[in-house]
Amino acid sequence: MILNQAGTRRFKAYTSKHLDELLKRAGLGDEERLKVRAVATVLPFRTNAYVVDELIDWSAAPDDPIYRLVFPQEDMLPAADVAALADLLKAEAPNAEIQAEANRVRAQLNPHPAGQKELNVPKMDDEPVPGMQHKYPETVLFFPKQGQTCHAYCTYCFRWAQFVGDADLKFASDDIDQMVAYIRRHPEVTSVLITGGDAMIMGEPVIRRYIDPLMDLEQIESIRIGTKSLAYWPQRFTTDPDADSTLKMFEEVTNAGKNLAFMAHFTHPRELESPLVESAVKRLLDSGATIRTQAPLIRSINDDPAVWSHMWRRQLRMGMIPYYMFVERDTGPQDYFAVPLARAYEIFRDAYSSVSGLCRTVRGPSMSATPGKVCVDGVTEIAGEQVFMLHFIQARDPSLVGRPFFARYDPSAVWLTDLRPAFADRFPFEAEDALLPA
């Protein structure tokens, strides 16, 4: 491993060209490795030395949860598609032929869920604004061009389409002036979420280009940074060459009177165990930033209430704020990872009931669906009918926020579109002419 002058490890990425050798460490045979490589032609693969050497228990692979979190599995895609791609790889077919087949499979995986391209892209002077999303009135998402990768990719990631090399599937922009101009035209915008990819893949001089202009906007109350770096590369805040200058910049943000919030993704308790993570968290908190934690509920990785209660308690002790348990989105290999909503609610309830009130800042299970963030509040019986109780935490239509509504109980439902309204002809977010069949 390459060392820098401080004696700490430099970042080293592993990509699909390293995949076969890494799969051997998991004890996979030739045919199994071929099928995993076939899946990796469709879904992106990237990890790094910290994840490989510090987080994965290779003696438990391929069942180890961190291994499953970053390595493709052969049954993530339909068997016929995997077989077709494996045959092409085995025959050493031209790359163009392999990519054409991979693109065909990708097209079936709903690469942009929840209206990301159709409904969320804002306009200025009747022209779409690249690299931005504006779904909720007070919040704008910005996708900096230099931040559209990650230290490692999660196999469940709903933004996998950002990473497959297809420009038509990407959100990205480096037009800072356009971002500022759009925000100025929309005084209702009080919060900007810098996201990706992972904003913390960028170095301090690049991040500063996006953050400094936001500090000058009086209407902006909070700047959020979406990141998995605390779990996948905590060195970003401790020993990376620009760690100190990055933290100094964050102090400038908080000293300017802006709330700086890190939306940190922790999917499994093992990601919290390293002393490096504790040090990184402490340094971030010392800068004046807050850290709110979130992750989706993922089958075979964290679908156990004890996992979540352990994570939330550990996060609280470290000074972080448990924030969201998400439902796996309707994109990519959803069928592989999804947990039925009824079971998701049970897991959340059991975990929630076993932690103190200070951990109960967490919300969920929440679906980031087309009309907004829908929370499953429970399962109950009303007038002899078993139903889901739900409400909007956030909504495209602000009048829906906080309004309870009901759906018929369906033990197999995994997403909002699987549900049917109870006690009404339609859900409150549906137009009158969009009645669903009984």
Side-chain angles (χ1 to χ4, degrees):
M1 182 67 65
I2 302 172
L3 301 180
N4 67 21
Q5 291 180 345
T8 55
R9 288 184 290 186
R10 290 177 179 169
F11 181 80
K12 179 181 178 181
Y14 295 107
T15 62
S16 56
K17 67 182 180 182
H18 307 102
L19 183 55
D20 198 60
E21 285 302 311
L22 290 169
L23 294 173
K24 290 178 182 177
R25 291 185 62 177
L28 300 187
D30 293 346
E31 288 300 313
E32 292 173 303
R33 298 200 311 275
L34 180 64
K35 290 179 180 178
V36 172
R37 286 171 51 216
V39 173
T41 66
V42 176
L43 302 172
F45 170 75
R46 174 181 166 95
T47 188
N48 68 65
Y50 174 77
V51 176
V52 167
D53 297 335
E54 303 294 335
L55 296 186
I56 295 174
D57 179 0
W58 288 97
S59 68
D63 296 323
D64 176 71
I66 306 299
Y67 174 89
R68 300 181 73 81
L69 183 57
V70 294
F71 279 81
Q73 314 295 316
E74 67 174 79
D75 47 351
M76 283 181 177
L77 299 175
D81 292 334
V82 174
L85 285 160
D87 287 344
L88 291 173
L89 290 175
K90 195 170 186 178
E92 298 182 354
N95 185 61
E97 189 176 346
I98 295 171
Q99 286 306 309
E101 178 64 13
N103 289 337
R104 182 192 67 78
V105 177
R106 281 190 200 114
Q108 303 173 42
L109 299 178
N110 189 23
H112 281 300
Q116 290 187 97
K117 296 199 78 171
E118 298 83 4
L119 301 175
N120 296 356
V121 176
K123 290 185 177 182
M124 194 160 60
D125 299 326
D126 294 324
E127 291 295 326
V129 182
M132 290 181 66
Q133 292 185 20
H134 192 185
K135 182 175 181 179
Y136 308 126
E138 65 281 356
T139 305
V140 157
L141 276 63
F142 188 76
F143 297 75
K145 182 179 179 180
Q146 301 89 339
Q148 299 315 304
T149 187
C150 298
H151 294 95
Y153 296 150
C154 297
T155 44
Y156 63 74
C157 182
F158 78 92
R159 289 207 174 119
W160 59 273
Q162 292 281 91
F163 314 131
V164 295
D166 187 336
D168 291 338
L169 296 180
K170 279 195 174 186
F171 286 99
S173 174
D174 61 358
D175 193 335
I176 300 160
D177 292 339
Q178 189 178 50
M179 171 183 70
V180 170
Y182 180 84
I183 292 171
R184 288 187 187 278
R185 290 194 189 186
H186 292 269
E188 74 274 16
V189 175
T190 59
S191 180
V192 175
L193 170 58
I194 301 174
T195 187
D198 193 321
M200 295 314 304
I201 204 79
M202 299 185 288
E204 181 268 338
V206 180
I207 303 174
R208 182 177 286 279
R209 287 177 51 208
Y210 295 101
I211 284 183
D212 277 358
L214 297 176
M215 286 195 284
D216 295 332
L217 292 174
E218 187 174 346
Q219 73 191 79
I220 296 301
E221 300 169 357
S222 65
I223 299 170
R224 289 183 263 179
I225 296 178
T227 186
K228 182 78 178 179
S229 56
L230 282 167
Y232 281 168
W233 189 254
Q235 294 94 319
R236 179 65 188 85
F237 308 99
T238 57
T239 58
D240 273 9
D242 63 341
D244 290 346
S245 59
T246 299
L247 291 163
K248 183 177 182 299
M249 175 183 59
F250 294 158
E251 287 182 7
E252 293 172 16
V253 175
T254 57
N255 289 339
K258 308 295 185 185
N259 179 281
L260 178 62
F262 278 79
M263 319 312 290
H265 290 246
F266 290 104
T267 315
H268 191 272
R270 196 180 304 158
E271 297 170 329
L272 295 157
E273 293 173 359
S274 169
L276 277 172
V277 178
E278 292 189 6
S279 178
V281 167
K282 184 177 186 305
R283 298 197 82 197
L284 272 174
L285 294 176
D286 287 347
S287 76
T290 58
I291 305 173
R292 296 177 183 269
T293 63
Q294 56 191 32
L297 177 63
I298 301 295
R299 186 169 62 85
S300 82
I301 292 175
N302 60 18
D303 53 337
D304 180 342
V307 168
W308 286 88
S309 61
H310 181 76
M311 273 202 298
W312 294 336
R313 290 198 303 268
R314 181 69 176 261
Q315 289 160 3
L316 179 69
R317 290 199 302 271
M318 295 170 72
M320 297 183 279
I321 303 167
Y323 190 50
Y324 267 121
M325 174 198 280
F326 288 118
V327 175
E328 171 64 354
R329 285 201 181 188
D330 56 336
T331 181
Q334 182 199 26
D335 291 345
Y336 183 83
F337 286 123
V339 176
L341 296 177
R343 177 58 184 152
Y345 168 69
E346 291 174 355
I347 291 170
F348 179 86
R349 180 197 61 202
D350 291 349
Y352 192 84
S353 67
S354 66
V355 298
S356 73
L358 289 176
C359 283
R360 293 182 183 175
T361 50
V362 71
R363 298 178 286 184
S366 170
M367 292 174 275
S368 289
T370 300
K373 286 189 174 71
V374 177
C375 188
V376 180
D377 293 325
V379 176
T380 192
E381 186 174 300
I382 299 177
E385 182 176 350
Q386 195 172 21
V387 295
F388 285 111
M389 302 180 295
L390 309 107
H391 84 280
F392 278 97
I393 296 172
Q394 183 59 284
R396 197 180 295 279
D397 175 0
S399 70
L400 296 176
V401 174
R403 283 180 59 182
F405 63 101
F406 301 92
R408 299 176 192 174
Y409 179 74
D410 180 349
S412 63
V414 298
W415 195 248
L416 183 63
T417 52
D418 297 331
L419 299 178
R420 297 293 177 262
F423 316 123
D425 293 327
R426 59 188 176 92
F427 287 124
F429 52 85
E430 292 177 325
E432 291 186 14
D433 59 353
L435 299 181
L436 294 168

